[in-house]
Amino acid sequence: MTPSYSPGDGPSRPGGPARRRPRLTDEETARRMLDTALAMVHRDGLTVGLDHLGFEDVIRDAGVSRAAVYRRWPYKDLFFGDLLRELAGGAAPAAAPALETTREVLDAVLAAHAGDLATPEGRHDLVTELLRATAVSDFEAVHGSPEWRTYLALQATFLSLPEGDLRADVQAALARSEQRFVERVARGWEAVATALGYRPRPGTGFPVIATLACAAMRGLVLMTLSDPGLLDRRVPANPTAASAAADWSLLGLAAAALAVAYLEPDPDVTWDEARLAALTRTS
């Protein structure tokens, strides 16, 4: 491989007095370069590969010594390999629906339907409405996230990497990111379900539900790349046998199917006045 840099490629001297750049350690230079490139990718998104990212642009924006950069990474491919490791280690969690957002949606629905908590039928309708609302907010948040698009691109980029240390490192980092993403989604499902007196059916659990929910989310996000209308598509339906039909998003229908299949009322929950008051106070 031909080196991307040679001693004659050093920075040109300015015509006026040179402004001395603070001397950084190799580790500080590396951290600045990787952080700058991460910011550029998160801002613009990642295509399949990193060809759109200019090595010299990263050096300029990082404000580091060109000589120090090439001392650390004699070839730009070595830098891009380290950048792929960084991206794979953190892309998915940044795009996961925030637990705080789930709680905000829960509070809003509870505030509007607090009277429904008094009966099993009302609570069932309330859970149904929560599934409709959270599916829309989650889908919009993930679909509009540059980090999520970067994560999808990383999956494709990983498949194109040759066998070796870089491929193994990226695969392991993506697996860890995926696990954190699923765990975060599982906490969102658990927060809503337990607040309204539901539990997973025997033999399953919130991680299983979250894994399937993430798969549905990913599939629909991928499909909207070629068919953007899917994001706004609504289907008149009653997937949970609630008291009335409503217009459902496609992700909402998938979430409702999972809830019907894997959740059931928790027999250990007593809906007395104290529990009703405590739940409505949180909203």
Side-chain angles (χ1 to χ4, degrees):
M1 180 184 295
T2 303
S4 302
Y5 172 75
S6 65
D9 291 334
S12 60
R13 296 183 180 276
R19 204 169 84 181
R20 185 176 294 277
R21 180 185 288 117
R23 186 173 181 82
L24 304 176
T25 67
D26 284 348
E27 286 304 314
E28 288 171 332
T29 296
R31 190 67 264 158
R32 266 202 209 186
M33 283 287 292
L34 290 168
D35 287 345
T36 299
L38 285 170
M40 294 168 75
V41 170
H42 291 327
R43 181 192 67 208
D44 302 327
L46 178 71
T47 60
V48 178
L50 291 164
D51 294 340
H52 69 297
L53 201 63
F55 191 38
E56 295 294 332
D57 293 338
V58 178
I59 295 173
R60 182 198 63 229
D61 289 359
V64 295
S65 163
R66 195 164 177 268
V69 168
Y70 279 103
R71 185 167 58 246
R72 173 80 179 212
W73 295 290
Y75 310 103
K76 67 178 182 180
D77 288 349
L78 298 177
F79 170 74
F80 287 137
D82 283 349
L83 178 57
L84 280 176
R85 292 181 175 94
E86 291 274 324
L87 286 166
L99 189 59
E100 295 78 10
T101 302
T102 299
R103 183 70 220 188
E104 289 172 4
V105 175
L106 172 60
D107 290 347
V109 173
L110 282 174
H113 302 275
D116 295 340
L117 289 168
T119 65
E121 294 79 10
R123 292 191 291 274
H124 180 75
D125 286 353
L126 184 57
V127 170
T128 298
E129 182 57 26
L130 278 168
L131 287 169
R132 279 203 331 129
T134 56
V136 171
S137 63
D138 287 353
F139 193 22
E140 289 176 347
V142 171
H143 180 268
S145 166
E147 292 90 349
W148 181 256
R149 291 194 295 274
T150 292
Y151 182 71
L152 294 178
L154 276 168
Q155 295 278 1
T157 299
F158 155 71
L159 294 175
S160 69
L161 294 174
E163 294 291 340
D165 291 343
L166 177 58
R167 182 186 175 97
D169 290 347
V170 171
Q171 182 178 26
L174 285 173
R176 291 191 296 270
S177 291
E178 187 75 34
Q179 182 61 34
R180 290 195 298 271
F181 180 73
V182 169
E183 288 171 356
R184 195 167 182 177
V185 173
R187 289 196 296 271
W189 274 82
E190 184 174 10
V192 172
T194 56
L196 294 170
Y198 282 76
R199 69 178 186 184
R201 296 186 187 277
T204 184
F206 290 111
V208 172
I209 297 172
T211 299
L212 295 172
C214 291
M217 173 83 77
R218 177 174 299 151
L220 282 167
V221 170
L222 282 170
M223 291 174 71
T224 59
L225 297 178
S226 57
D227 185 1
L230 292 177
L231 182 63
D232 300 318
R233 186 171 299 175
R234 298 294 182 266
V235 178
N238 190 357
T240 65
S243 60
D247 290 338
W248 286 75
S249 67
L250 298 184
L251 186 63
L253 289 174
L258 290 174
V260 169
Y262 294 112
L263 293 179
E264 65 182 9
D266 189 343
D268 295 329
V269 171
T270 301
W271 284 96
D272 53 20
E273 291 185 3
R275 180 179 177 86
L276 289 171
L279 187 56
T280 54
R281 275 199 305 271
T282 62
S283 63

